[in-house]
Amino acid sequence: MLERLAAGPLSVGEIARGLPVSRPAVSQHLKVLKQAGLVADQAAGTRRVYHIDPHGLGALRAWLDQFWGGALAAFKDQVEADQEDRR
């Protein structure tokens, strides 16, 4: 759903089109994404139009980025250990 919304705002029906789940299931997923702060919506007549919330996505990215330091350090240590083993 986030991939579809990356192209721009969409209604539930537009998001659900072509997905192997029902529109109510899409609505439930959007509700969870909204509660997580990853998407926002606004009324457009009788429809709700959803878009990615850049603030929520930024917070998620910041949270994920905290793991990169440790992962990169572990990768570096492994590469250096492999180099030592080859000598």
Side-chain angles (χ1 to χ4, degrees):
M1 288 182 211
L2 289 174
E3 286 180 10
R4 290 180 181 220
L5 290 172
L10 296 169
S11 68
V12 174
E14 292 167 326
I15 295 168
R17 192 172 296 127
L19 290 177
V21 295
S22 66
R23 285 171 73 163
V26 169
S27 292
Q28 289 176 343
H29 284 283
L30 288 167
K31 180 180 177 182
V32 170
L33 291 172
K34 184 177 175 182
Q35 289 172 340
L38 298 175
V39 301
D41 65 333
Q42 87 183 72
T46 59
R47 304 179 317 154
R48 304 294 306 168
V49 177
Y50 288 83
H51 62 276
I52 290 176
D53 184 337
H55 295 97
L57 207 54
L60 175 61
R61 178 165 182 182
W63 181 79
L64 290 171
D65 283 349
Q66 72 180 330
F67 298 103
W68 275 110
L72 291 174
F75 180 71
K76 177 183 175 276
D77 292 345
Q78 185 62 50
V79 169
E80 290 172 352
D82 290 348
Q83 288 175 346
E84 286 294 320
D85 290 345
R86 289 186 206 145
R87 291 182 191 168

